[in-house]
Amino acid sequence: MDKLSDLEKTGQKFPDLVLMDINIPVINGIQALELIKKHWLYHIIPVIIYSTSGAEQKDKCLKAGATAAISKSWNFEQIITFVKKVNIFLKNPEVKNLNFENEDEIDDMET
C-alpha cells in the first residue's frame, strides 16, 4: 500500500498488476488485498496471489478480490506461461478472475 500511495502522490503510473504473497510483513496479504480492493483508486489493479498457502487461503484471497491465486510450487516455465496469459487477461477486462492450479488449465485459456 505504501508504494501505491507513493505513486499516487507523485502522479506516476500505477502498475498493470500486483503480484503478492499472503505472508508479508506488517499486515498479511489478505488484509493488504482487502485494502487495495476497497480503495477508490487502487481497486481496479489486478492482484495475483503467489503463495505456498493451501486451497482454503487461496479461496479467501479470491473472495477478497484477487484476480488469481497461484502456487509457489510452480516451476519457472509455468510461471512464464502464466505471466503471458495474464497479459491476455489484462487486454480482456470481461474476465473477472483467473484461478489456475496447473499448467494444463493455463494452456486451456485462449491465446
Side-chain angles (χ1 to χ4, degrees), residues 3-109:
K3 182 61 178 170
L4 292 174
S5 293
D6 291 345
L7 292 174
E8 181 181 354
K9 289 175 189 171
T10 61
Q12 294 179 23
K13 184 180 181 306
F14 288 139
D16 291 329
L17 71 100
V18 172
L19 181 64
M20 180 172 61
D21 197 337
I22 291 175
N23 302 311
I24 58 176
V26 184
I27 62 174
N28 73 46
I30 294 173
Q31 292 169 320
L33 172 63
E34 289 171 343
L35 288 172
I36 291 169
K37 292 303 173 181
K38 288 178 184 174
H39 191 276
W40 72 277
L41 190 56
Y42 309 152
H43 74 278
I44 61 170
I45 302 170
V47 178
I48 298 172
I49 301 297
Y50 181 62
S51 183
T52 58
S53 298
E56 184 178 322
Q57 285 292 85
K58 289 179 183 176
D59 286 343
K60 284 182 183 179
C61 291
L62 292 172
K63 287 178 183 169
T67 303
I70 62 175
S71 174
K72 282 188 177 178
S73 66
W74 284 8
N75 66 39
F76 185 74
E77 288 85 21
Q78 289 171 310
I79 294 168
I80 293 300
T81 299
F82 181 77
V83 169
K84 289 177 182 177
K85 299 298 180 176
V86 168
N87 282 327
I88 294 166
F89 165 78
L90 292 171
K91 295 175 185 173
N92 295 288
E94 68 278 358
V95 178
K96 296 299 178 200
N97 84 35
L98 305 171
N99 188 17
F100 301 118
E101 293 299 325
N102 61 55
E103 191 171 355
D104 293 337
E105 291 178 75
I106 296 169
D107 290 338
D108 290 342
M109 186 175 179

